[in-house]
Amino acid sequence: MTWKVLIADDDPNVREIIRLYFRQQLIELIEAPDGVSALTMLAEVKPDIVILDVMMPGLDGYETCREITKRYEDVPVIMLTAKNDEFDRVLGLELGADDYMTKPFSPRELVSRIKAILRRMQKGQPIIELEPVQYEFDNLIIHVTRREVLAGNMKIDMRPKEFELLAFFAKSPGDVFTREQLLEQVWGYDFLGDMRTVDVHIKKLRERLSPCHHVCIHTVWGVGYKFEVAACS
């Protein structure tokens, strides 16, 4: 299967480096010089994934990411930032980005990140292969193959990575997982960055699950996180 990737970056040198490597990997690359162009092209080209540079003139990567996640909940986003600053990374994730990379970066690692995300998003395949296909915890229902989450009678919309994280927790309620384990099992690659990626997605997931009226995901200090079934009753 040939993947289609849309990149928005105002630096033609960065786009060329990615284009040449993607060509070797048989990945189709659609290029946009800025965020406005990317949003215009998005509906037409229907990419499998979007790569956004943070620092772009006009509509920057953050605002572009915000618009993409509002309009297309099933399109994953990877942010590129030249700043080695925690605020930039966390803000991108909080806006709905699925991953980020700091410039300069290896095109090979970028492809690895893309493959890890898209492996779970092949058409007709469940995001995580779990049995059973549905988990029920009192007023919380997680339907894996439909990628649906219901809290009471309310359907909860989730970004792909948020759903994958919840489905993984639901498989082993009560078990405690470290951030490293979650990155390996849910993100699907050996993550070399900081652990805030997990923390930010946990925060977003808790916000999504607020209709449960109780916190379902608990912090185990000094270790990691666990999904506590009793907390959802």
Side-chain angles (χ1 to χ4, degrees):
M1 177 179 179
T2 300
W3 290 320
K4 186 183 297 183
V5 179
L6 172 63
I7 181 172
D9 195 313
D10 62 322
D11 188 337
N13 294 322
V14 171
R15 299 201 308 269
E16 181 178 11
I17 292 172
I18 294 176
R19 184 194 317 125
L20 293 175
Y21 190 80
F22 276 21
R23 185 179 301 165
Q24 297 175 4
Q25 301 298 313
L26 302 180
I27 299 174
E28 181 180 355
L29 185 67
I30 299 93
E31 302 176 44
D34 53 57
V36 175
S37 301
L39 291 176
T40 301
M41 298 169 64
L42 197 61
E44 179 181 350
V45 302
K46 298 180 180 179
D48 296 296
I49 194 166
V50 177
I51 302 172
L52 297 175
D53 181 40
V54 169
M55 302 301 293
M56 293 186 291
L59 198 67
D60 65 19
Y62 296 130
E63 289 303 318
T64 306
C65 180
R66 191 196 304 273
E67 289 301 313
I68 291 175
T69 55
K70 282 168 53 178
R71 302 179 193 181
Y72 308 94
E73 291 190 346
D74 60 343
V75 178
V77 176
I78 295 178
M79 304 289 290
L80 301 179
T81 174
K83 295 182 178 180
N84 189 21
D85 185 88
E86 181 181 15
F87 174 79
D88 291 325
R89 301 193 298 269
V90 173
L91 178 58
L93 293 171
E94 289 183 340
L95 290 175
D98 297 89
D99 204 348
Y100 71 87
M101 294 189 67
T102 302
K103 295 180 179 179
F105 60 87
S106 163
R108 181 178 180 181
E109 183 182 357
L110 176 60
V111 170
S112 177
R113 301 288 184 93
I114 292 172
K115 288 181 177 179
I117 293 174
L118 296 184
R119 271 199 302 265
R120 296 178 173 85
M121 301 191 68
Q122 300 300 319
K123 293 181 179 180
Q125 297 295 325
I127 294 301
I128 297 179
E129 297 180 1
L130 298 172
E131 293 293 344
V133 295
Q134 180 170 301
Y135 297 90
E136 297 187 24
F137 306 103
D138 295 321
N139 67 332
L140 179 66
I141 299 176
I142 304 165
H143 199 296
V144 178
T145 54
R146 294 179 185 173
R147 292 180 56 199
E148 289 183 352
V149 179
L150 299 175
N153 296 321
M154 181 182 299
K155 182 179 178 180
I156 301 176
D157 294 324
M158 291 188 175
R159 296 284 299 162
K161 195 59 62 181
E162 295 165 358
F163 179 84
E164 294 170 26
L165 184 58
L166 178 61
F168 179 76
F169 274 126
K171 182 182 179 181
S172 305
D175 288 357
V176 179
F177 297 96
T178 65
R179 292 171 176 82
E180 291 83 357
Q181 288 174 321
L182 292 173
L183 283 167
E184 180 181 352
Q185 297 297 321
V186 179
W187 273 256
Y189 53 80
D190 294 330
F191 190 77
L192 302 177
D194 61 49
M195 297 294 105
R196 288 302 303 272
T197 299
V198 173
D199 295 338
V200 171
H201 280 80
I202 291 290
K203 177 184 176 183
K204 298 293 290 186
L205 192 54
R206 284 170 171 165
E207 293 174 355
R208 303 281 194 193
L209 295 175
S210 59
C212 281
H213 306 300
H214 296 282
V215 176
C216 297
I217 299 178
H218 290 261
T219 300
V220 180
W221 297 108
V223 182
Y225 298 99
K226 68 175 179 177
F227 179 83
E228 191 65 62
V229 180
C232 290
S233 60

